[in-house]
Amino acid sequence: MELKNQIIYISKKVLNSIKNFKFNFETSIFIFDKELNVLYSKSNFENEDICKVVIKESVENNAFVLSTLQNTTVRTKNQIYGKDFSVISSPIHEIKNKELQGYVGIITTDDSENFKMISEMLANQISYELHVHREKLLIENIIKTDTSSLITREQQHKVELRIIKNITQGLKDKEIADNLHISVSTVRNYVNKMFEELEITSRSQLISLYYENKLYDILNQIKIKNRFL
C-alpha cells in the first residue's frame, strides 16, 4: 500500500474513532499530504465554499509551512464573508526518522484553545497508527517470505531424500517418477541439482553420502548458505 493510501486508510480509522463529531461551532477537520492535497475530511460546515476559501488563504499565508518549521501546532486567523475562522495546523511525522508525512488541519469558528489540543492529538495519533501499520506490514512480509522459504526448503528436502532412497534401491528414473507421482524430467532435475550442490558426479557417490548419514545436513547447510548470500 503506497504512502498516500496508507495515510488515507489510517486517517479514516482515526477520524472515525471520533464518535460524536457534533461541535457547537462550524468545524472541518482535514488531512493533507505534504503537498497540501486534501486526502480526507470530516465536516459540519453548511457552506463548503467558505471552507475552500479559508484553506486557500491559509495555504497562501503559509500556515501549514509554519507549523512544519516550528514543528508544533500553529493557529492562524482568517475573516471570510464577515466570519472569523481559526485555522489550526499540526504536522504528521514519521516516528522513526521524523520525516513530514502530511498535516492535520482544523478550520473552525470556535476561538477556544480546544481545537489546538484536538489537532495535535489527531496528528500524533495518525503518526502512531501509521507507524504501527507499517511495522505490521513489514513483519507480515518477513513472516510470509520466511515461511514460504522454509516450506519450500522442507518440501524440497523430502523429495530429495525420497529420490535418494529410491536410488539406493536400484530403481531407474521412470520407476522413481512413478513412485513419487512426478515426471521423469523432475527426477532428473533433482538429481542433477544435488550433484551440483554436493559437488559429486555419480549416483554411487550420492548413495555413499546417504549411508554415511551426512547428506541431509550437507544439503541443509547449502540451502541456508545460499539463502543468505
Side-chain angles (χ1 to χ4, degrees):
M1 189 185 296
E2 64 179 26
L3 175 60
K4 177 181 175 181
N5 290 335
Q6 286 182 3
I7 294 177
I8 293 172
Y9 170 74
I10 296 301
S11 297
K12 283 182 179 180
K13 178 181 175 183
V14 172
L15 290 187
N16 286 339
S17 68
I18 304 175
K19 303 292 185 184
N20 300 312
F21 190 71
K22 296 178 181 177
F23 301 117
N24 296 324
F25 299 85
E26 287 184 293
T27 302
S28 289
I29 299 176
F30 289 86
I31 307 300
F32 300 89
D33 63 16
K34 54 187 176 183
E35 282 78 36
L36 293 173
N37 300 305
V38 177
L39 301 180
Y40 188 65
S41 65
K42 198 166 188 176
S43 176
N44 64 0
F45 260 65
E46 293 181 4
N47 189 339
E48 292 185 3
D49 290 335
I50 293 179
C51 195
K52 291 175 183 177
V53 173
V54 176
I55 289 176
K56 183 175 180 295
E57 288 203 3
S58 300
V59 171
E60 290 175 353
N61 293 337
N62 295 320
F64 297 98
V65 174
L66 188 61
S67 70
T68 303
L69 293 175
Q70 295 185 7
N71 194 28
T72 187
T73 300
V74 169
R75 178 200 292 271
T76 58
K77 295 292 184 74
N78 294 80
Q79 189 175 68
I80 306 293
Y81 302 152
K83 282 188 176 183
D84 291 324
F85 291 91
S86 290
V87 180
I88 301 111
S89 172
S90 296
I92 300 170
H93 290 113
E94 167 59 47
I95 287 180
K96 285 186 175 179
N97 55 25
K98 304 302 180 183
E99 182 182 345
L100 179 68
Q101 306 291 293
Y103 303 89
V104 171
I106 296 182
I107 297 169
T108 180
T109 54
D110 186 355
D111 197 35
S112 70
E113 290 292 305
N114 292 339
F115 284 102
K116 283 189 71 173
M117 291 186 292
I118 292 173
S119 179
E120 188 171 359
M121 176 197 73
L122 289 174
N124 289 337
Q125 187 64 25
I126 290 171
S127 293
Y128 173 74
E129 294 280 355
L130 268 173
H131 173 75
V132 171
H133 179 69
R134 289 170 184 166
E135 291 289 305
K136 181 182 176 183
L137 289 178
L138 179 63
I139 291 170
E140 287 177 349
N141 187 54
I142 291 172
I143 291 174
K144 182 179 177 181
T145 302
D146 284 354
T147 302
S148 174
S149 175
L150 288 169
I151 290 174
T152 301
R153 188 164 65 250
E154 183 180 347
Q155 290 174 339
Q156 185 173 332
H157 281 341
K158 286 180 179 179
V159 175
E160 287 169 342
L161 292 174
R162 289 178 70 187
I163 288 174
I164 294 166
K165 286 179 181 179
N166 278 262
I167 290 174
T168 63
Q169 296 169 10
L171 300 180
K172 304 298 183 184
D173 289 347
K174 178 65 169 64
E175 295 170 310
I176 296 172
D178 290 342
N179 282 347
L180 302 185
H181 305 291
I182 57 179
S183 67
V184 174
S185 61
T186 299
V187 173
R188 289 172 181 164
N189 286 338
Y190 267 105
V191 172
N192 290 335
K193 189 172 181 181
M194 285 189 284
F195 279 8
E196 182 182 342
E197 290 178 342
L198 296 168
E199 298 180 351
I200 58 177
T201 57
S202 68
R203 297 192 177 203
S204 60
Q205 288 176 293
L206 197 63
I207 293 169
S208 177
L209 282 172
Y210 173 75
Y211 281 118
E212 289 176 14
N213 296 317
K214 295 179 182 178
L215 191 54
Y216 185 88
D217 290 337
I218 293 172
L219 285 170
N220 190 46
Q221 288 171 9
I222 291 170
K223 297 292 187 309
I224 293 174
K225 180 181 177 182
N226 289 339
R227 181 183 170 205
F228 291 103
L229 285 178

